[in-house]
Amino acid sequence: MIIIIYPKNSGYLCPVWSFDGLLTAFQIRLDVPYQKRKYVWLSSAKLNKGCSPGSPVSLSGDPDAQRVFVTEGILKAEVTHQRTGETYIGNPGVLNHKELRQMLIQLKGRGLQEVVEANDMDKLMRLACRKDYGTVCRTCSESGTECPKKKEKREQIRKGCLKLYEICEELSLTCRRAVWDVDAEGMWKEQYKGIDDWELRETEDFYGNAAA
C-alpha cells in the first residue's frame, strides 16, 4: 500500500491482483470519505483517451488453493490474507457477480473445491430501530419497530450471498458460510463487522451449515 498525495483522493492505494498474479487496477481507500463513499477507483476515464478499470475482483493468495474465502472489499481481502495466510477473493461490491463468477471458474480449473462466503456480518444484523444507524436517523420519520435502512442493507448483503451460493452450485463447488461475533440466537452482536476486524481464535468455529 502507498499513499496518493492529491488532496481530493488522498488515501491508501489498494492493489487488485488478477488470477495470474498481475496488477490490474487500484482502489483508493479515501482518508476523507466523499459523498459517503470510502472507496474510489484509480481511473483515467474522464481524461483524453482514458479508460475505466471496471469492477474487477482481486485474488490474494494461492491460485492453486483448494479453499478460497470470498469477502466484500479489495483491501479487506488483502489484509485478511496477510493476517491468516488463507486465499481470499476481494469483491468490490457484494452484488458484483460477473467478475466473481469468472474468477471462480479459473480457480476451479486449478483445483478449487470449497468456497467460504465471508461477507460482512450485516447479513445477520438485527433490524430493531434504536436510532443508532448514523445521521440518517435524525431525519427518519418511521415509527415502526424495524429500521428501514438496516433492513435495506441486510437484504442487499443477503442477496449478494445468495448469488454466490447459486454460482457455486452451478460450478459444483462446496459453499459454506463464515460467521463470527454472534450471540446465542445466531445474530450479530455488532462488535466486529468485517472478517478483517475479527481476531481469529483457535477455538472459534467459522462454519455454519453448507449453503450449497
Side-chain angles (χ1 to χ4, degrees):
M1 310 296 176
I2 61 177
I3 300 295
I4 295 184
I5 60 175
Y6 303 110
K8 290 184 178 181
N9 64 345
S10 64
Y12 289 100
L13 201 58
C14 309
V16 178
W17 303 104
S18 72
F19 170 78
D20 299 317
L22 301 178
L23 184 59
T24 59
F26 284 103
Q27 262 195 339
I28 304 170
R29 173 56 165 92
L30 298 176
D31 290 331
V32 180
Y34 176 71
Q35 295 182 346
K36 298 182 180 181
R37 297 179 64 187
K38 296 180 180 179
Y39 293 89
V40 296
W41 289 102
L42 181 62
S43 172
S44 61
K46 295 183 179 181
L47 301 179
N48 183 33
K49 297 183 180 180
C51 63
S52 169
S55 297
V57 299
S58 182
L59 181 67
S60 297
D62 182 7
D64 295 317
Q66 294 185 351
R67 178 176 68 183
V68 65
F69 287 68
V70 176
T71 193
E72 183 183 2
I74 303 299
L75 178 60
K76 187 178 300 180
E78 180 67 18
V79 167
T80 315
H81 161 65
Q82 294 290 340
R83 181 184 296 177
T84 67
E86 294 280 1
T87 298
Y88 270 78
I89 295 175
N91 194 355
V94 70
L95 298 178
N96 183 49
H97 305 135
K98 184 178 179 180
E99 298 289 342
L100 176 59
R101 182 180 183 277
Q102 184 59 36
M103 177 67 78
L104 291 174
I105 290 174
Q106 292 176 304
L107 291 174
K108 184 180 179 182
R110 294 281 287 268
L112 177 64
Q113 297 179 11
E114 180 183 13
V115 175
V116 182
E117 177 265 295
N119 288 316
D120 287 355
M121 287 303 294
D122 301 59
K123 62 196 177 193
L124 295 178
M125 174 172 50
R126 294 185 185 277
L127 303 181
C129 177
R130 300 195 301 266
K131 299 295 181 181
D132 61 348
Y133 208 62
T135 56
V136 67
C137 295
R138 299 173 187 172
T139 57
C140 180
S141 59
E142 295 290 335
S143 58
T145 57
E146 285 190 355
C147 170
K149 290 297 182 181
K150 288 181 180 180
K151 184 175 182 179
E152 179 182 2
K153 180 64 175 179
R154 192 176 77 174
E155 292 307 309
Q156 181 184 48
I157 296 289
R158 288 185 173 185
K159 184 177 180 180
C161 292
L162 287 173
K163 185 61 180 180
L164 173 58
Y165 305 153
E166 290 174 4
I167 293 171
C168 289
E169 184 175 12
E170 174 192 345
L171 299 179
S172 299
L173 292 169
T174 298
C175 186
R176 298 182 184 275
R177 165 175 285 188
V179 297
W180 54 93
D181 189 33
V182 294
D183 59 22
E185 297 180 341
M187 302 299 290
W188 180 34
K189 293 193 292 186
E190 301 186 29
Q191 297 178 40
Y192 303 95
K193 180 180 178 181
I195 196 166
D196 58 326
D197 298 325
W198 178 247
E199 295 288 341
L200 297 178
R201 303 174 185 177
E202 292 182 0
T203 57
E204 200 68 34
D205 178 14
F206 283 87
Y207 300 100
N209 295 325

